[in-house]
Amino acid sequence: MAFLKTVGICQVFERRDILNNIDLEIDKGEVLTLIGPTGARKTTLIRILALLDKPYSGRYYFDGTDLTGSQNLQFESRRRTAYVQQRPIVFTMNVFDNVACGLKWRHIQSSVIKRRVDEVLELVGMADYWNRTAKTLSGGEVQRVAIARAIVTQPEVLFLDEPTANMDPVSTAKIEEVLELLISEGKTTIVMTTHNMTQGQRLASRLGVIISGKLIQTGGIDDIFIYPQNKEVA
């Protein structure tokens, strides 16, 4: 069975349907990239998958468990995931403590926290900034801290909403390098949205095209870019 699965997911906002009957399956260790024009509702869908928002209707299965209607099961599953939003928020503390907060909330031993935070800060190229107040960082640096904060908890599923939007080329390259490393290890299921078609093709094992709240087509890179299902996808 798929690791993540939605059946007939719909979302409504101000009495308007903004997601329509989303049926989606994502395998463990897969990298799925959601692409589509601005306003296609990619963020709406990824927030539902990340258990941050509740759908209006439909069912959602996480690792074979139906989470529909159970707050306890949703909470337990959410602890197995991490989510990085397009414009992440950092806390009024230094970079090290920002990255460490998820581990502290999980009551991880201090020595383990230091080792893991040091490792991920090195990974995202922010090791020299560990004592900087996070609020003083540039947008690209904040995004790298947010990525570090997400992966330091070693989530089973990593959700990324436009992870390199409005970032400088150096920061973009560093984030893609980190994602490529996670992908090569094959332990983390990654679901991301992007407007960057080149990035989507390079990182994804499968693509999903969303247009006007509908999942029009899913498939490999050739399926989407060489054999689009219809004119909308093309």
Side-chain angles (χ1 to χ4, degrees), residues 70-187:
S70 173
Q71 291 187 347
N72 287 337
L73 289 176
Q74 291 171 18
F75 177 74
E76 291 172 7
S77 298
R78 190 161 58 237
R79 289 178 64 88
R80 300 165 64 183
T81 74
Y83 175 79
V84 180
Q85 59 189 9
Q86 185 173 342
R87 294 178 178 83
I89 297 171
V90 289
F91 305 122
T92 308
M93 53 182 69
N94 66 27
V95 167
F96 183 97
D97 289 335
N98 263 273
V99 175
C101 62
L103 298 176
K104 291 178 179 178
W105 294 337
R106 288 166 170 78
H107 306 293
I108 304 297
Q109 188 177 0
S110 297
S111 59
V112 176
I113 291 176
K114 186 177 187 314
R115 174 176 56 79
R116 283 167 61 173
V117 173
D118 286 346
E119 288 174 353
V120 297
L121 286 178
E122 184 70 35
L123 185 63
V124 301
M126 294 292 290
D128 292 338
Y129 294 74
W130 71 271
N131 201 31
R132 274 273 300 273
T133 301
K135 293 286 188 179
T136 67
L137 300 175
S138 69
E141 290 165 348
V142 166
Q143 192 77 342
R144 283 195 264 171
V145 170
I147 295 284
R149 188 170 59 194
I151 65 177
V152 77
T153 61
Q154 300 176 343
E156 294 178 58
V157 189
L158 178 61
F159 296 100
L160 304 165
D161 189 12
E162 296 284 355
T164 59
N166 305 315
M167 288 176 63
D168 62 88
V170 172
S171 293
T172 296
K174 176 57 68 173
I175 293 301
E176 290 185 358
E177 181 183 319
V178 172
L179 295 179
E180 287 170 348
L181 177 61
L182 292 176
I183 292 166
S184 68
E185 292 175 348
K187 298 177 182 179

